[in-house]
Amino acid sequence: MKFGYRTEIVSGRGGKAMYRFLSVVAVLIISGCVGGGGERITDYTNHSTVYGWVDIDEVDGNHLYNVIVKQYRPKTEAPYYFLGIEKFKGGYLFYTHATTNGAFKLDTARAQSCLGFMCSNTYYEYHFGSQGSDVGAVTIDKPGVYFLGSYELAEQKTGWFEQGKFNVVEAQNGPSRKEMLEAVLANAPRDHPIVAERIRTVMRN
């Protein structure tokens, strides 16, 4: 079991507008055309697919709208990758086809409490810890398909003046890697067949 830190951000604006904005951003990211720093990718030959799954039923916020992976090595001016997200098998599948070679780690997951399209103006950030933690960590040495892990998050009680914490454990009842890859494959960029070829190769092995 590992634990990370939770922070809460209260926005002065209504959550509904933010939810719609983030939904539009997610559509762009899920298309697989955005890499670290937001640059558009036109050639996936030297990029990799990373993916994972998380269950947030036991933490504050029932709608996951943001998952970020950070690149630690080599150093770059744009180390953050915003992953595509979709509800999947009782949790959330997250992925991107845009990572380069290097050392990466899950950085932050963000959630809201929503009822339909109406969401609260409180945003919960779950920080998975800095480099050195093995939660969602992967080293990419050549272009391919890499698994970040399947996790369950749960709130952890803390003292009055302590920063909020949450537990991270490996999911016991999450989807199989094959099930996840089938969903990731369905969202592979159509005009770059090398991505789909790599995913199918992993699924066959």
Side-chain angles (χ1 to χ4, degrees):
M1 179 184 296
K2 307 289 184 180
F3 70 87
Y5 293 97
R6 186 200 71 181
T7 58
E8 296 182 18
I9 300 171
V10 179
S11 171
R13 300 181 179 181
K16 184 175 180 179
M18 178 62 72
Y19 173 73
R20 286 177 174 170
F21 167 75
L22 291 167
S23 296
V24 172
V25 172
V27 169
L28 294 175
I29 294 172
I30 285 175
S31 68
C33 64
V34 179
E39 79 275 11
R40 183 172 297 276
I41 296 175
T42 58
D43 183 0
Y44 286 84
T45 304
N46 295 318
H47 290 80
S48 292
T49 296
V50 298
Y51 70 102
W53 182 88
V54 65
D55 180 351
I56 63 169
D57 283 350
E58 300 300 320
V59 295
D60 290 322
N62 62 358
H63 172 72
L64 187 71
Y65 68 84
N66 189 274
V67 175
I68 300 172
V69 163
K70 182 177 180 181
Q71 178 178 343
Y72 284 93
R73 295 191 309 273
K75 295 292 185 181
T76 173
E77 293 181 357
Y80 295 100
Y81 288 74
F82 291 76
L83 277 58
I85 305 169
E86 65 177 81
K87 280 191 172 183
F88 189 74
K89 302 288 184 177
Y92 287 85
L93 176 70
F94 51 84
Y95 57 90
T96 180
H97 306 294
T99 49
T100 56
N101 288 357
F104 295 81
K105 187 185 178 308
L106 279 176
D107 183 75
T108 307
R110 294 171 177 153
Q112 278 180 287
S113 294
C114 299
L115 181 61
F117 279 90
M118 296 300 296
C119 299
S120 72
N121 64 345
T122 300
Y123 305 92
Y124 303 96
E125 291 191 348
Y126 296 94
H127 305 272
F128 289 94
S130 59
Q131 184 180 19
S133 166
D134 58 357
V135 175
V138 65
T139 298
I140 300 174
D141 53 11
K142 63 180 180 180
V145 180
Y146 295 83
F147 183 51
L148 293 173
S150 294
Y151 302 103
E152 296 175 359
L153 309 186
E155 296 287 347
Q156 180 180 2
K157 290 185 177 180
T158 58
W160 283 101
F161 301 104
E162 284 187 279
Q163 186 175 16
K165 294 180 181 179
F166 67 97
N167 293 327
V168 184
V169 297
E170 290 188 13
Q172 299 300 309
N173 298 306
S176 67
R177 292 195 193 186
K178 182 178 180 180
E179 289 174 318
M180 286 185 265
L181 285 172
E182 287 174 345
V184 173
L185 177 61
N187 289 292
R190 301 285 179 87
D191 51 346
H192 297 275
I194 190 172
V195 176
E197 289 172 6
R198 288 172 179 160
I199 295 172
R200 291 192 185 99
T201 297
V202 171
M203 291 172 65
R204 287 193 295 267
N205 294 335

